Amino acid sequence: MSPRSASVNEELRRRSKERLLQAAVELVGEHGYDATTLGDIADRAGSARGLVSYYFPGKRQLVQSAVHRLMHRTLEEALEREPRTVEGPERMARAIDAILGLARDRPVLMRQHMAGLLQAEGFVPCPEQRRLAELLRDTVARHGSSDVDRDYPMLRALLMGAVFAALVPGVPMPVPVLRAELFKRYRLEWERGVPPDAEAPGGTRCEADLSRFFATGVPDQSK
């Protein structure tokens, strides 16, 4: 067998990283942040434990990247689903519903994520977080903002505040109430996006299988 090409080696490394991201999301969602170790993540991903530190400085960075991946792919999927639209109000409604939907459907994961953002290091810059920011900035622009640099941070803050309010232990606010406030602020009709009493696209709210968000297949090594 001839040696693998540089492109195949690069693809193997990329997919190994993807498996770690997926494993981090799954395990933190199942057991919480503190109960999940880097060894657990490596074992779930089928990777050598040394690879985790090769790709990520530590557990906090890995988990934040993994959750930001889930967030940006969930948002991207919501924005681009059929019927596709460039209409600003509809895309804003879909964005709000996508983020609130994660708080509703994956409370353990999102609660741990919000707690992590309150740690000293706060946001950990990574490609996943930047892609999420790009999608939200584009949503603000399509909604008609005359100053995206001003209005994007406000949308981000409002969404983070709504997620936090939905997840406060003991006194969570109902997602429909939070949705109503956000829709009022952005002058959106209740019927836009995915109203709480409507069937979600695809017939399900929360799928256990997250593989569609992570490219973890086995590449062709014969090249």
Side-chain angles (χ1 to χ4, degrees):
M1 179 182 293
S2 59
R4 290 195 300 259
S5 67
S7 62
V8 168
N9 284 330
E10 179 61 29
E11 181 66 7
L12 288 169
R13 286 191 291 269
R14 187 179 72 83
R15 296 195 181 216
S16 177
K17 185 176 180 180
E18 295 275 320
R19 287 193 293 273
L20 290 170
L21 291 170
Q22 182 176 343
V25 163
E26 292 174 348
L27 286 169
V28 173
E30 293 167 11
H31 307 295
Y33 180 84
D34 290 336
T36 299
T37 68
L38 288 176
D40 295 332
I41 294 171
D43 290 344
R44 173 70 67 90
S47 299
R49 299 191 182 193
L51 279 180
V52 180
S53 58
Y54 176 79
Y55 292 122
F56 302 97
K59 186 170 75 166
R60 181 68 64 191
Q61 290 83 354
L62 168 54
V63 172
Q64 275 205 31
S65 291
V67 177
H68 282 137
R69 161 64 67 85
L70 177 63
M71 292 177 71
H72 96 61
R73 289 300 304 275
T74 298
L75 177 57
E76 185 175 61
E77 186 175 81
L79 293 173
E80 300 305 321
R81 72 167 182 265
E82 298 294 341
R84 299 185 67 178
T85 181
V86 296
E87 186 181 19
E90 174 63 20
R91 291 178 72 86
M92 178 64 76
R94 292 184 183 190
I96 291 170
D97 284 338
I99 301 303
L100 288 181
L102 285 170
R104 177 195 63 218
D105 297 337
R106 304 189 187 278
V108 174
L109 180 67
M110 294 305 292
R111 188 177 293 117
Q112 299 295 318
H113 178 62
M114 296 301 293
L117 297 181
L118 296 176
Q119 301 298 313
E121 61 265 35
F123 270 115
V124 176
C126 68
E128 308 300 340
Q129 189 275 328
R130 287 192 290 271
R131 180 57 180 149
L132 176 63
E134 289 169 2
L135 289 171
L136 289 175
R137 287 179 64 88
D138 180 71
T139 298
V140 168
R142 289 175 185 265
H143 190 251
S145 170
S146 60
D147 188 344
V148 175
D149 289 336
R150 176 198 65 200
D151 295 335
Y152 156 67
M154 179 57 69
L155 173 62
R156 182 184 62 197
L158 289 169
L159 290 173
M160 289 176 64
V163 169
F164 180 84
L167 297 175
V168 176
V171 288
M173 288 192 67
V175 167
V177 172
L178 296 165
R179 182 184 195 264
E181 286 299 311
L182 288 169
F183 271 45
K184 180 180 179 181
R185 178 181 179 88
Y186 289 101
R187 302 181 300 280
L188 304 172
E189 296 88 351
W190 185 257
E191 294 74 21
R192 290 189 179 276
V194 184
D197 57 350
E199 182 177 349
T204 183
R205 282 185 170 185
C206 179
E207 296 181 24
D209 184 7
L210 298 174
S211 60
R212 70 187 188 283
F213 294 151
F214 302 90
T216 56
V218 180
D220 182 358
Q221 300 182 31
S222 63
K223 297 177 182 179

